Protein backbone atom coordinates (compact mmCIF):
# COMPACT_ATOMS: atom_id res chain seq x y z
CA UNK A 1 0.00 0.00 0.00
CA UNK A 2 2.84 2.39 0.79
CA UNK A 3 4.40 1.82 -2.60
CA UNK A 4 1.15 2.51 -4.42
CA UNK A 5 0.61 5.77 -2.50
CA UNK A 6 4.08 6.91 -3.57
CA UNK A 7 3.03 6.36 -7.17
CA UNK A 8 -0.04 8.53 -6.65
CA UNK A 9 2.10 11.27 -5.11
CA UNK A 10 4.36 11.17 -8.16
CA UNK A 11 1.38 11.57 -10.47
CA UNK A 12 0.09 14.44 -8.38
CA UNK A 13 3.61 15.89 -8.12
CA UNK A 14 2.95 16.47 -4.45
CA UNK A 15 4.61 14.78 -1.47
CA UNK A 16 2.49 14.59 1.71
CA UNK A 17 4.12 15.35 5.03
CA UNK A 18 1.22 13.66 6.83
CA UNK A 19 0.57 10.28 5.18
CA UNK A 20 -2.61 9.81 7.25
CA UNK A 21 -4.26 12.70 5.42
CA UNK A 22 -3.60 10.98 2.09
CA UNK A 23 -5.03 7.69 3.37
CA UNK A 24 -8.14 9.42 4.71
CA UNK A 25 -8.69 11.23 1.41
CA UNK A 26 -8.74 7.86 -0.40
CA UNK A 27 -11.15 6.20 2.05
CA UNK A 28 -14.83 5.86 1.07
CA UNK A 29 -17.50 5.91 3.74
CA UNK A 30 -18.30 2.27 2.97
CA UNK A 31 -14.85 1.32 4.25
CA UNK A 32 -14.73 2.96 7.69
CA UNK A 33 -15.91 5.88 9.82
CA UNK A 34 -12.66 7.75 9.21
CA UNK A 35 -13.63 8.53 5.63
CA UNK A 36 -13.08 11.38 3.18
CA UNK A 37 -16.44 13.16 3.36
CA UNK A 38 -15.20 16.10 5.45
CA UNK A 39 -12.07 16.42 3.30
CA UNK A 40 -14.33 16.39 0.24
CA UNK A 41 -16.32 19.31 1.66
CA UNK A 42 -13.14 21.30 2.22
CA UNK A 43 -11.61 20.33 -1.11
CA UNK A 44 -14.70 21.47 -2.99
CA UNK A 45 -14.19 25.04 -1.74
CA UNK A 46 -10.45 24.94 -2.43
CA UNK A 47 -11.15 23.73 -5.98
CA UNK A 48 -13.75 26.42 -6.71
CA UNK A 49 -11.51 29.20 -5.43
CA UNK A 50 -8.49 27.91 -7.34
CA UNK A 51 -10.33 27.46 -10.64
CA UNK A 52 -11.90 30.92 -10.28
CA UNK A 53 -8.42 32.45 -9.81
CA UNK A 54 -7.03 30.48 -12.78
CA UNK A 55 -9.83 31.64 -15.08
CA UNK A 56 -9.60 35.23 -13.83
CA UNK A 57 -5.91 35.38 -14.69
CA UNK A 58 -6.13 33.42 -17.93
CA UNK A 59 -9.17 35.07 -19.56
CA UNK A 60 -8.97 38.81 -19.01
CA UNK A 61 -11.83 39.65 -21.39
CA UNK A 62 -14.50 37.25 -20.09
CA UNK A 63 -17.27 38.85 -18.05
CA UNK A 64 -18.65 37.50 -14.80
CA UNK A 65 -21.38 35.43 -16.44
CA UNK A 66 -18.99 33.64 -18.80
CA UNK A 67 -16.45 33.06 -16.02
CA UNK A 68 -19.14 31.49 -13.83
CA UNK A 69 -20.32 29.29 -16.69
CA UNK A 70 -16.82 28.04 -17.51
CA UNK A 71 -15.97 27.42 -13.85
CA UNK A 72 -19.18 25.46 -13.30
CA UNK A 73 -18.29 23.25 -16.26
CA UNK A 74 -14.74 22.67 -15.06
CA UNK A 75 -15.65 21.69 -11.49
CA UNK A 76 -18.65 19.53 -12.31
CA UNK A 77 -18.60 15.80 -11.65
CA UNK A 78 -17.78 14.72 -15.20
CA UNK A 79 -14.73 16.98 -15.41
CA UNK A 80 -13.41 15.78 -12.05
CA UNK A 81 -14.07 12.17 -13.04
CA UNK A 82 -11.99 12.58 -16.20
CA UNK A 83 -9.07 14.09 -14.27
CA UNK A 84 -9.29 11.32 -11.65
CA UNK A 85 -9.11 8.75 -14.42
CA UNK A 86 -5.94 10.29 -15.85
CA UNK A 87 -4.37 10.07 -12.38
CA UNK A 88 -5.54 6.49 -11.89
CA UNK A 89 -7.25 7.33 -8.58
CA UNK A 90 -9.38 4.18 -8.81
CA UNK A 91 -6.26 2.06 -8.20
CA UNK A 92 -5.80 3.61 -4.75
CA UNK A 93 -9.38 3.74 -3.44
CA UNK A 94 -10.26 2.16 -0.10
CA UNK A 95 -13.79 0.79 -0.50
CA UNK A 96 -16.06 -1.48 1.48
CA UNK A 97 -16.82 -4.97 0.19
CA UNK A 98 -20.23 -3.95 -1.12
CA UNK A 99 -18.81 -1.12 -3.22
CA UNK A 100 -16.00 -3.33 -4.49
CA UNK A 101 -18.45 -5.94 -5.72
CA UNK A 102 -20.73 -3.36 -7.36
CA UNK A 103 -17.83 -1.70 -9.16
CA UNK A 104 -17.64 1.44 -7.04
CA UNK A 105 -14.05 2.08 -8.15
CA UNK A 106 -15.45 2.92 -11.60
CA UNK A 107 -18.32 5.10 -10.42
CA UNK A 108 -17.90 8.74 -11.52
CA UNK A 109 -19.39 10.18 -8.32
CA UNK A 110 -16.96 8.28 -6.08
CA UNK A 111 -13.92 9.20 -8.16
CA UNK A 112 -14.93 12.88 -8.36
CA UNK A 113 -15.51 13.06 -4.59
CA UNK A 114 -12.16 11.39 -3.90
CA UNK A 115 -10.31 13.93 -6.07
CA UNK A 116 -11.91 16.79 -4.13
CA UNK A 117 -10.91 15.07 -0.87
CA UNK A 118 -7.32 14.94 -2.14
CA UNK A 119 -7.37 18.70 -2.74
CA UNK A 120 -8.66 19.24 0.81
CA UNK A 121 -5.92 17.02 2.21
CA UNK A 122 -3.25 18.98 0.27
CA UNK A 123 -4.58 22.22 1.71
CA UNK A 124 -4.33 20.91 5.28
CA UNK A 125 -0.94 19.38 4.64
CA UNK A 126 0.84 22.17 2.76
CA UNK A 127 -1.38 25.24 2.59
CA UNK A 128 -3.41 26.89 -0.13
CA UNK A 129 -0.52 27.84 -2.42
CA UNK A 130 0.68 24.26 -2.80
CA UNK A 131 -2.84 22.95 -3.33
CA UNK A 132 -3.43 25.70 -5.91
CA UNK A 133 -0.24 24.75 -7.76
CA UNK A 134 -1.41 21.13 -8.10
CA UNK A 135 -4.88 22.17 -9.29
CA UNK A 136 -3.43 24.59 -11.84
CA UNK A 137 -1.09 21.93 -13.18
CA UNK A 138 -3.96 19.43 -13.56
CA UNK A 139 -6.28 21.90 -15.28
CA UNK A 140 -3.78 23.49 -17.68
CA UNK A 141 -4.06 20.63 -20.28
CA UNK A 142 -7.85 20.84 -20.01
CA UNK A 143 -7.92 24.58 -20.67
CA UNK A 144 -5.66 24.20 -23.69
CA UNK A 145 -8.39 22.25 -25.50
CA UNK A 146 -11.55 24.12 -24.55
CA UNK A 147 -13.25 27.18 -25.98
CA UNK A 148 -14.39 29.43 -23.14
CA UNK A 149 -17.05 30.96 -25.39
CA UNK A 150 -18.82 27.63 -25.92
CA UNK A 151 -17.81 25.57 -22.87
CA UNK A 152 -20.82 24.66 -20.79
CA UNK A 153 -23.42 25.63 -23.40
CA UNK A 154 -25.91 22.96 -24.48
CA UNK A 155 -26.41 21.84 -28.08
CA UNK A 156 -29.61 23.85 -28.62
CA UNK A 157 -27.93 27.08 -27.50
CA UNK A 158 -24.86 26.46 -29.68
CA UNK A 159 -27.00 25.65 -32.73
CA UNK A 160 -29.11 28.77 -32.21
CA UNK A 161 -26.05 31.03 -31.84
CA UNK A 162 -24.42 29.48 -34.90
CA UNK A 163 -27.47 30.02 -37.10
CA UNK A 164 -28.02 33.56 -35.83
CA UNK A 165 -24.39 34.35 -36.61
CA UNK A 166 -25.02 33.35 -40.23
CA UNK A 167 -28.39 35.15 -40.54
CA UNK A 168 -30.33 31.89 -40.75
CA UNK A 169 -33.77 31.30 -39.22
CA UNK A 170 -33.93 29.36 -35.96
CA UNK A 171 -34.40 25.58 -36.08
CA UNK A 172 -37.77 23.93 -35.64
CA UNK A 173 -38.35 21.03 -33.22
CA UNK A 174 -41.24 18.62 -33.69
CA UNK A 175 -42.20 15.59 -31.61
CA UNK A 176 -42.83 12.84 -34.16
CA UNK A 177 -43.39 9.86 -31.83
CA UNK A 178 -43.53 8.68 -28.21
CA UNK A 179 -42.94 5.12 -27.03
CA UNK A 180 -43.39 3.19 -23.81
CA UNK A 181 -45.58 3.47 -20.76
CA UNK A 182 -46.48 6.80 -19.17
CA UNK A 183 -43.84 6.43 -16.43
CA UNK A 184 -41.11 5.31 -18.84
CA UNK A 185 -41.67 7.11 -22.13
CA UNK A 186 -39.19 7.58 -24.94
CA UNK A 187 -39.54 10.69 -27.10
CA UNK A 188 -38.47 11.12 -30.70
CA UNK A 189 -37.95 14.69 -31.91
CA UNK A 190 -37.11 15.97 -35.36
CA UNK A 191 -34.96 19.09 -35.81
CA UNK A 192 -35.18 20.92 -39.15
CA UNK A 193 -33.28 23.86 -40.60
CA UNK A 194 -35.24 24.57 -43.82
CA UNK A 195 -32.77 26.98 -45.40
CA UNK A 196 -29.96 24.41 -45.18
CA UNK A 197 -32.14 21.38 -46.00
CA UNK A 198 -31.23 19.76 -42.69
CA UNK A 199 -33.63 17.29 -41.08
CA UNK A 200 -32.32 15.09 -38.26
CA UNK A 201 -33.88 13.18 -35.39
CA UNK A 202 -33.04 12.56 -31.76
CA UNK A 203 -34.48 10.53 -28.91
CA UNK A 204 -34.49 10.79 -25.14
CA UNK A 205 -36.33 10.03 -21.94
CA UNK A 206 -37.89 13.52 -22.04
CA UNK A 207 -38.82 15.96 -24.75
CA UNK A 208 -35.99 18.27 -23.71
CA UNK A 209 -33.44 15.47 -23.84
CA UNK A 210 -34.68 14.44 -27.29
CA UNK A 211 -34.46 18.04 -28.54
CA UNK A 212 -30.90 18.30 -27.25
CA UNK A 213 -29.95 15.08 -29.01
CA UNK A 214 -31.48 16.29 -32.29
CA UNK A 215 -29.83 19.72 -31.94
CA UNK A 216 -26.45 18.08 -31.45
CA UNK A 217 -26.83 16.14 -34.70
CA UNK A 218 -28.03 19.25 -36.55
CA UNK A 219 -25.07 21.26 -35.24
CA UNK A 220 -22.67 18.60 -36.47
CA UNK A 221 -24.30 18.71 -39.92
CA UNK A 222 -24.19 22.50 -40.06
CA UNK A 223 -20.54 22.67 -39.06
CA UNK A 224 -19.63 20.26 -41.86
CA UNK A 225 -20.85 22.76 -44.47
CA UNK A 226 -17.80 24.74 -45.69
CA UNK A 227 -20.00 27.07 -47.74
CA UNK A 228 -21.19 28.82 -44.57
CA UNK A 229 -17.74 29.96 -43.55
CA UNK A 230 -16.91 31.65 -46.90
CA UNK A 231 -19.95 33.96 -47.12
CA UNK A 232 -19.36 34.97 -43.55
CA UNK A 233 -15.81 36.02 -44.36
CA UNK A 234 -17.00 37.80 -47.49
CA UNK A 235 -19.69 39.56 -45.53
CA UNK A 236 -17.19 40.66 -42.95
CA UNK A 237 -14.90 41.99 -45.70
CA UNK A 238 -17.80 43.78 -47.38
CA UNK A 239 -18.89 45.17 -44.06
CA UNK A 240 -15.36 46.44 -43.40
CA UNK A 241 -15.26 48.12 -46.83
CA UNK A 242 -18.67 49.60 -46.24
CA UNK A 243 -17.58 50.97 -42.87
CA UNK A 244 -14.42 52.42 -44.42
CA UNK A 245 -16.41 54.08 -47.23
CA UNK A 246 -18.91 55.41 -44.73
CA UNK A 247 -16.12 56.81 -42.59
CA UNK A 248 -14.51 58.47 -45.63
CA UNK A 249 -17.84 59.98 -46.67
CA UNK A 250 -18.39 61.23 -43.14
CA UNK A 251 -14.95 62.88 -43.10
CA UNK A 252 -15.57 64.49 -46.49
CA UNK A 253 -18.95 65.76 -45.29
CA UNK A 254 -17.33 67.22 -42.20
CA UNK A 255 -14.68 68.93 -44.34
CA UNK A 256 -17.36 70.47 -46.59
CA UNK A 257 -19.32 71.62 -43.56
CA UNK A 258 -16.19 73.20 -42.07
CA UNK A 259 -15.47 75.01 -45.39
CA UNK A 260 -19.04 76.24 -45.65
CA UNK A 261 -18.96 77.39 -42.06
CA UNK A 262 -15.74 79.32 -42.77
CA UNK A 263 -17.25 81.01 -45.82
CA UNK A 264 -20.40 81.89 -43.91
CA UNK A 265 -18.27 83.36 -41.12
CA UNK A 266 -16.26 85.53 -43.56
CA UNK A 267 -19.43 86.70 -45.32
CA UNK A 268 -21.07 87.48 -41.99
CA UNK A 269 -18.05 89.46 -40.86
CA UNK A 270 -17.95 91.47 -44.15
CA UNK A 271 -21.67 92.18 -43.96
CA UNK A 272 -21.46 93.37 -40.37
CA UNK A 273 -18.52 95.63 -41.32
CA UNK A 274 -20.48 97.23 -44.20
CA UNK A 275 -23.48 97.77 -42.01
CA UNK A 276 -21.30 99.35 -39.35
CA UNK A 277 -19.67 101.72 -41.83
CA UNK A 278 -23.01 102.76 -43.38
CA UNK A 279 -24.48 103.47 -39.99
CA UNK A 280 -21.47 105.24 -38.47
CA UNK A 281 -22.07 108.87 -39.80
CA UNK A 282 -25.68 108.80 -38.75
CA UNK A 283 -24.75 107.53 -35.37
CA UNK A 284 -22.12 110.26 -35.05
CA UNK A 285 -24.64 112.96 -35.98
CA UNK A 286 -27.11 111.57 -33.57
CA UNK A 287 -24.52 111.57 -30.85
CA UNK A 288 -23.49 115.17 -31.59
CA UNK A 289 -27.05 116.38 -31.72
CA UNK A 290 -27.82 114.64 -28.49
CA UNK A 291 -24.78 116.14 -26.81
CA UNK A 292 -25.68 119.73 -27.84
CA UNK A 293 -29.35 119.41 -27.04
CA UNK A 294 -29.08 117.82 -23.67
CA UNK A 295 -27.06 120.59 -21.94
CA UNK A 296 -29.28 123.31 -23.43
CA UNK A 297 -32.35 121.61 -22.19
CA UNK A 298 -30.77 121.11 -18.84
CA UNK A 299 -29.66 124.71 -18.56
CA UNK A 300 -33.00 126.11 -19.60
CA UNK A 301 -34.82 123.86 -17.23
CA UNK A 302 -32.62 124.92 -14.31
CA UNK A 303 -32.55 128.66 -15.11
CA UNK A 304 -36.18 129.16 -16.24
CA UNK A 305 -37.54 130.55 -12.92
CA UNK A 306 -34.52 132.81 -12.37
CA UNK A 307 -34.72 134.28 -15.89
CA UNK A 308 -38.45 134.87 -15.47
CA UNK A 309 -37.90 136.78 -12.24
CA UNK A 310 -35.03 138.89 -13.56
CA UNK A 311 -36.62 139.94 -16.86
CA UNK A 312 -38.49 143.07 -15.52
CA UNK A 313 -35.34 144.45 -13.85
CA UNK A 314 -33.23 143.98 -16.99
CA UNK A 315 -35.83 145.74 -19.17
CA UNK A 316 -35.86 148.76 -16.83
CA UNK A 317 -32.06 148.97 -16.82
CA UNK A 318 -31.90 148.76 -20.62
CA UNK A 319 -34.50 151.57 -21.03
CA UNK A 320 -32.49 153.83 -18.66
CA UNK A 321 -29.16 153.09 -20.33
CA UNK A 322 -30.22 153.64 -23.93
CA UNK A 323 -30.93 157.49 -23.73
CA UNK A 324 -27.70 158.12 -21.85
CA UNK A 325 -25.69 156.19 -24.42
CA UNK A 326 -27.33 158.07 -27.28
CA UNK A 327 -26.74 161.45 -25.65
CA UNK A 328 -23.09 160.62 -25.05
CA UNK A 329 -22.59 159.41 -28.58
CA UNK A 330 -24.15 162.46 -30.30
CA UNK A 331 -21.78 165.25 -28.95
CA UNK A 332 -18.82 163.17 -29.84
CA UNK A 333 -20.10 162.74 -33.31
CA UNK A 334 -20.60 166.58 -33.64
CA UNK A 335 -17.10 167.39 -32.35
CA UNK A 336 -15.57 164.97 -34.75
CA UNK A 337 -17.54 166.52 -37.58
CA UNK A 338 -16.34 170.07 -36.67
CA UNK A 339 -12.67 168.96 -36.72
CA UNK A 340 -12.90 167.62 -40.20
CA UNK A 341 -11.76 170.07 -42.96
CA UNK A 342 -14.37 171.52 -45.24
CA UNK A 343 -14.93 169.76 -48.45
CA UNK A 344 -13.40 171.28 -51.52
CA UNK A 345 -15.77 173.42 -53.62
Amino acid sequence: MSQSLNQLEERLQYRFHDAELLCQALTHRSHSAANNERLEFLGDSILNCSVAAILFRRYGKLDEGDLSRVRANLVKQQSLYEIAQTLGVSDFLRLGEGELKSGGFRRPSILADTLEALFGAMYLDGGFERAYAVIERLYTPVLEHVDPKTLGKDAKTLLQEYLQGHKIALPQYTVIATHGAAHNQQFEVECTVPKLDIKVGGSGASRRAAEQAAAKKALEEVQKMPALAKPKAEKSAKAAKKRAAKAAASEAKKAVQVGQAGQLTLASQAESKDVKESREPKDARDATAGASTAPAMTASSHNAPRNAAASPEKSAEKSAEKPAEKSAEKPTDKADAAKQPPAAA
Side-chain angles (χ1 to χ4, degrees), residues 65-324:
D66 289 334
L67 289 172
S68 298
R69 171 176 51 79
V70 175
R71 181 186 61 179
N73 189 266
L74 292 175
V75 302
K76 69 181 183 180
Q77 184 182 104
Q78 182 63 27
S79 299
L80 293 171
Y81 167 68
E82 292 173 0
I83 294 175
Q85 279 188 315
T86 62
L87 294 171
V89 173
S90 58
D91 298 335
F92 310 99
L93 285 174
R94 302 173 68 187
L95 301 171
E97 291 185 5
E99 287 293 343
L100 283 172
K101 291 179 181 179
S102 64
F105 57 89
R106 291 189 299 265
R107 192 171 300 165
S109 60
I110 292 179
L111 290 173
D113 293 345
T114 302
L115 184 60
E116 288 182 331
L118 286 170
F119 295 149
M122 291 177 198
Y123 168 74
L124 294 177
D125 185 74
F128 178 80
E129 292 298 330
R130 296 192 65 190
Y132 174 86
V134 174
I135 294 170
E136 184 179 31
R137 186 164 52 251
L138 292 175
Y139 271 95
T140 296
V142 178
L143 294 173
E144 295 294 337
H145 298 91
V146 300
D147 183 359
K149 294 182 179 179
T150 61
L151 185 65
K153 294 182 180 179
D154 57 51
K156 288 183 67 175
T157 302
L158 291 174
L159 178 61
Q160 178 177 326
E161 291 179 351
Y162 189 91
L163 295 177
Q164 286 178 334
H166 290 81
K167 308 298 182 182
I168 299 174
L170 297 180
Q172 300 174 1
Y173 298 93
T174 306
V175 178
I176 57 176
T178 56
H179 307 286
H183 64 280
N184 189 23
Q185 284 187 331
Q186 192 74 8
F187 291 83
E188 291 186 13
V189 173
E190 185 178 75
C191 175
T192 59
V193 185
K195 187 173 182 179
L196 302 178
D197 295 328
I198 292 177
K199 184 181 291 187
V200 295
S203 60
S206 65
R207 178 173 178 173
R208 177 179 174 80
E211 289 178 350
Q212 291 288 352
K216 184 177 180 181
K217 292 181 180 179
L219 182 61
E220 293 173 354
E221 293 293 327
V222 168
Q223 291 175 340
K224 291 178 183 177
M225 297 181 175
L228 288 180
K230 187 176 180 181
K232 188 176 180 181
E234 292 177 354
K235 285 182 180 179
S236 62
K238 289 181 180 178
K241 289 182 180 179
K242 188 175 181 181
R243 287 194 297 270
K246 189 175 181 180
S250 178
E251 292 296 330
K253 186 176 180 181
K254 287 181 180 178
V256 171
Q257 290 176 348
V258 170
Q260 290 178 349
Q263 293 177 358
L264 288 173
T265 303
L266 293 174
S268 176
Q269 291 176 351
E271 183 179 354
S272 61
K273 185 176 181 181
D274 294 341
V275 171
K276 185 177 179 181
E277 290 176 353
S278 62
R279 294 180 60 185
E280 189 172 6
K282 183 179 178 181
D283 294 340
R285 288 194 301 270
D286 293 341
T288 305
S292 60
T293 305
M297 292 176 63
T298 306
S300 62
S301 62
H302 285 293
N303 297 330
R306 188 170 59 185
N307 294 339
S311 57
E313 297 174 358
K314 288 185 178 181
S315 60
E317 290 175 358
K318 288 180 180 179
S319 60
E321 290 174 358
K322 283 180 180 179

